[in-house]
Amino acid sequence: NMVGHGFVKADPKRNEGKGSLEFLARDPGGDDKFRKLLDPEVNCRVRDDVWIHFFERRGNLTVGYGAGTDTIGPELGFGFATGDALREKVLLVKLAWGGKSLAVDFRPPSSGGTTGPFYTELVTQYKSVIEGAATYFPELKNSQFALAGMGWHQGWNDRINGDFVNEYETNLANF
């Protein structure tokens, strides 16, 4: 999920190491996009052009911005791909909470009804990070920021309620 429970190190006791970033990076038939994330000692590379803010954790993009300091989420691959594609500096503002719905928790104001508390919190947190970016990341002190996109990987909690399912597309478009 978006919070990030991905394992970096391959543990042979856990699914023979399969499903970890290390397994994917060392697989001779695997994709180079995984290999470039790790150095030969299986340490994650650190981006000097991509920064991330995930609640109290912040710094250059590397492992440690998942659910724990040794796990990863989609921010790692997304951040590396974005950093490779752009000449500009990249700041990822990761906001992720498990067990939430779009119909209630993240409900956008334009969907009518009560605005979701996590929608409000997301907007508040994002603005706070952008306003404090120069303090959090001194190397970005004179940077101009623009919201260029948003990743959304959510829907499990909406699928358990028929009404939520029926309005999911509209709520997501409104979001």
Side-chain angles (χ1 to χ4, degrees):
N1 68 18
M2 289 299 289
V3 173
H5 293 276
F7 295 106
V8 176
K9 301 284 184 184
D11 180 353
K13 295 176 187 168
R14 187 183 58 241
N15 197 29
E16 300 172 357
K18 297 175 184 169
S20 66
L21 179 56
E22 178 182 5
F23 180 86
L24 292 169
R26 289 189 169 179
D27 180 4
D31 195 315
D32 284 340
K33 68 183 172 193
F34 298 113
R35 279 188 273 287
K36 72 179 183 179
L37 298 176
L38 301 177
D39 67 18
E41 288 79 41
V42 195
N43 296 306
C44 187
R45 297 188 190 279
V46 179
R47 293 295 300 226
D48 64 359
D49 59 344
V50 180
W51 292 263
I52 182 166
H53 188 288
F54 181 43
F55 297 117
E56 298 305 315
R57 287 181 263 166
R58 53 183 90 83
N60 289 88
L61 182 65
T62 189
V63 166
Y65 294 99
T69 57
D70 61 344
T71 58
I72 59 172
E75 74 283 340
L76 187 67
F78 178 81
F80 267 77
T82 304
D84 288 346
L86 300 174
R87 285 181 284 150
E88 296 87 358
K89 297 173 184 176
V90 175
L91 172 58
L92 302 177
V93 179
K94 179 178 176 179
L95 297 165
W97 299 272
K100 305 293 179 255
S101 72
L102 181 59
V104 175
D105 302 300
F106 282 99
R107 187 173 194 83
S110 54
S111 285
T114 302
T115 299
F118 283 87
Y119 177 91
T120 303
E121 184 65 14
L122 182 140
V123 172
T124 300
Q125 289 283 333
Y126 172 77
K127 287 179 178 179
S128 175
V129 171
I130 297 305
E131 290 168 5
T135 302
Y136 301 137
F137 310 100
E139 53 271 73
L140 299 177
K141 183 178 181 182
N142 295 316
S143 299
Q144 296 293 317
F145 298 98
L147 178 60
M150 185 177 102
W152 182 255
H153 180 344
Q154 188 277 340
W156 175 262
N157 288 353
D158 286 285
R159 72 147 195 83
I160 59 174
N161 179 307
D163 291 336
F164 293 3
V165 170
N166 292 336
E167 65 178 21
Y168 190 86
E169 184 177 356
T170 299
N171 288 338
L172 187 57
N174 290 340
F175 191 76

